[in-house]
Amino acid sequence: MTISTQIDSSAPKLDVIHVAKSFRTADGEMVHAIGDAELKIAEGEFAAFIGPSGCGKSTLLYMIAGFEHPSSGTVSMNGRTVDRPMPDRGIVFQEYVLFPWLTVEGNIRFGLDVQGRRDAASDERVRHLISLVGLKGFEKAFPHTLSGGMQQRVAIARALAYDPEVMLMDEPFGALDAQTKRRLINDFIRIWEDNRKTVVFVTHSVEEALLLADKVYLFSARPSRIKQVFEVNLPRPRDITAPEFLEIETALLASLDEEVARMME
Amino acid sequence: MTVEIEVTPREGMVRPAGTSAAAHGVQMIRAGLRFCWPIAAVLLLWEASSRLGLMNPVLMPPPSAVVANMVRLLHSENGALPVLLKHTLVSFGRIAVGYGLAAVICTALGLLMGINRSVHAFFDPIITVMMPIPTLAWVPIIILWLGMTDATIIFVIFLAGLFPIIYNSAAGVRGISKKHLWAAELMGASHFKLFFKVLLPGALPSIITGHILAVSNGWRALVGAEMLAGSGWGLGYLIFDARTFMDTETVYGGIVMIALLGLLIEKGLFRPLQRYTIERWGTVRAA
Ligand SMILES: Nc1ncnc2c1ncn2[C@@H]1O[C@H](COP(=O)(O)OP(=O)(O)O)[C@@H](O)[C@H]1O
Ligand SMILES: [Mg+2]
């Protein structure tokens, strides 16, 4: 085994190797969130994490981001161990987490600004993204004047603006009403097909996972491991009424229900 | 390669677009009237009862007499600075220096406490113990240190601002969500940029609250300190001094000046600042 600092093109984009994560709660008890997670995500793959609530999906995503650190095991990206947040990744949270003191445009160009990339090309990129996510005319608006769906569009554009290699998304459509959610899913599929970035998408919705992902990683109950991986080889946009879709959905739901039941015990 | 997405207006702006300048002016006048009429009503009632002899005119002189007295005190005699104006300017200057020092030093210390765990762990217990002590309780000690001087009064105002500013600045930083900091770090913000682009604006609502409290505490402490340590000038001294001569018209005149100046600082300094920042950003907390 060699420890390399070079980008290894044969390595998977993201490699989660025997990762475990425990937390000590405020009253001193240990929560074993992730027992032993093992998975590899390829370049350009759209990966979805699904599992019972509290099984550690967000925790694993935050370890990939470099926000949290594994209790044991390693997370690596391009063959290098992830040890801190770096702009080769982008994040979208369920709660948008926009900067309220910046306009739509200011939020979207935040990454470019703090990285000192302020030139004609980045201006053009921001303009392009604003129209890509459907925010033309709202450049100077402050986030609190926008609806939830619009705020999440800003958050997606903000994460795409500095062109990270991997997009990390933690239930990004989870706080939106059904109709807004459907529009955002469709729009996001089009945006993704345009750039084909590696995406890790946490969700609690089986339908959402199957509409979007190439592979769905099903987490077991706590302390979690990856119980099963579902490959979704269906062309997008997908038809939720197609028999192939329903077949995977039924299998995934059954397996997920088992884990939800175990979590209740 | 452009995929453009249209968004219906329904999904867009929630707040109505800006109203015209004329409509805005009318609104301002309405708001002004709403604010002033109850005060005017009380003053009228007071005037009437004082004139009708229902109230002792020495203890409760009619507002018109108070105003006439103020006009007299604001009248310049042979080119010198009018007395009331000088008392006011002296008080105002002490506030400006005392609060100004607190604003600079204590905001910095509070932010540091918000950022650094150890600094917080050290100062938090001290502040928790000291905060409930009324500022004026320190005046006798400070007089012993610094004498009956301007320095004493300025130090008291500084103390009055110290705790609210430190406490609220620290709380502002600590209240910024972890996810905002994470997001900024992931996007490549250095510690320096994190401070100026996230921590400072994120803490601003709380910082402003601290400063408003500091000035209003400062006013209160000023008047008390000037009564106890006043060296001939200042509104607190004026009120205290006039009382010994039963010159109640001047006492009320001093009180009116204090109210007017407090209002001026609140509406002239903090309101515009709030309107320009936290109200525009929607980060004002409901009071
Ligand atoms: N910072 C933390 N401190 C203590 N417990 C935590 C912390 N973060 C997560 N947990 C616990 O770890 C488990 C997994 O959390 P999370 O990753 O948020 O689950 P999911 O996203 O799958 O719903 C939960 O039981 C949660 O309470
Ligand atoms: Mg979660």
Side-chain angles (χ1 to χ4, degrees), chain A residues 62 67 86-87 89 95 97-98 100-101 114-115 131-132 134 138 142 144-145 147 150 162 183 187 190 194, chain B residues 1-7 11 13-14 179-180 182 186-189 193 197-198 201-202 280-283:
Chain A
Y62 297 163
F67 302 149
M86 292 243 280
R89 282 148 281 159
E95 317 87 322
V97 194
L98 298 174
W101 49 89
V114 296
Q115 293 168 28
S131 65
L132 187 67
F138 296 99
F142 282 93
H144 75 109
T145 64
S147 66
M150 296 276 287
Y162 57 95
R183 292 193 53 170
D187 289 347
R190 280 154 64 189
D194 199 38
Chain B
M1 95 139 207
T2 25
V3 194
E4 298 222 353
I5 292 155
E6 293 291 316
V7 173
E11 225 187 306
M13 310 284 284
V14 176
K179 287 181 181 174
H180 279 99
W182 279 354
L186 190 74
M187 286 188 271
K193 296 223 162 113
K197 290 189 168 258
V198 183
R280 222 157 48 107
W281 307 340
T283 53

Side-chain angles (χ1 to χ4, degrees), chain A residues 21-26 29 31-34 50-62 68 170-171 202 219 222 263, chain B residues 178 182:
Chain A
K21 178 71 179 177
S22 308
F23 292 102
R24 191 176 289 283
T25 61
E29 271 175 68
V31 180
H32 299 286
I34 299 175
I50 200 165
S53 167
C55 70
K57 305 179 294 293
S58 299
T59 302
L60 185 55
L61 195 78
Y62 297 163
E68 309 252 23
D170 194 4
E171 306 204 25
V202 174
F219 285 53
R222 219 173 32 223
M263 203 81 165
Chain B
K178 188 166 66 175
W182 279 354

Side-chain angles (χ1 to χ4, degrees), chain B residues 108-128:
Chain B
L109 182 59
L111 292 174
L112 194 65
M113 266 180 76
I115 294 165
N116 187 291
R117 246 174 223 282
S118 320
V119 176
H120 187 266
F122 183 81
F123 283 104
D124 190 52
I126 300 176
I127 288 173
T128 309

Side-chain angles (χ1 to χ4, degrees), chain B residues 122-283:
Chain B
F122 183 81
F123 283 104
D124 190 52
I126 300 176
I127 288 173
T128 309
V129 170
M130 308 261 287
M131 197 142 74
I133 304 173
T135 315
L136 288 181
W138 299 107
V139 174
I141 285 291
I142 300 168
I143 289 177
L144 289 179
W145 291 348
L146 302 172
M148 305 277 278
T149 61
D150 272 347
T152 293
I153 297 167
I154 288 169
F155 192 71
V156 171
I157 297 162
F158 173 82
L159 264 188
L162 182 103
F163 296 111
I165 293 180
I166 292 185
Y167 181 85
N168 284 289
S169 303
V173 172
R174 292 166 68 83
I176 296 170
S177 89
K178 188 166 66 175
K179 287 181 181 174
H180 279 99
L181 299 174
W182 279 354
E185 259 190 292
L186 190 74
M187 286 188 271
S190 60
H191 285 295
F192 182 79
K193 296 223 162 113
L194 209 58
F195 179 80
F196 285 104
K197 290 189 168 258
V198 183
L199 289 177
L200 211 52
L204 198 65
S206 192
I207 293 176
I208 292 179
T209 303
H211 283 235
I212 292 175
L213 282 171
V215 170
S216 66
N217 279 3
W219 262 125
R220 259 166 260 188
L222 168 90
V223 174
E226 283 178 344
M227 287 180 180
L228 297 170
S231 39
W233 290 101
L235 291 170
Y237 178 83
L238 172 77
I239 292 171
F240 206 63
D241 189 51
R243 180 208 60 124
T244 54
F245 299 102
M246 281 304 277
D247 180 5
T248 49
E249 285 176 6
T250 300
V251 172
Y252 282 105
I255 291 173
V256 169
M257 285 311 284
I258 290 168
L260 286 179
L261 272 175
L263 207 64
L264 184 78
I265 294 178
E266 160 75 16
K267 301 276 182 215
L269 179 64
F270 291 116
R271 282 300 299 145
L273 182 64
Q274 284 178 316
R275 203 167 296 144
Y276 187 70
T277 57
I278 58 187
E279 276 179 25
R280 222 157 48 107
W281 307 340
T283 53

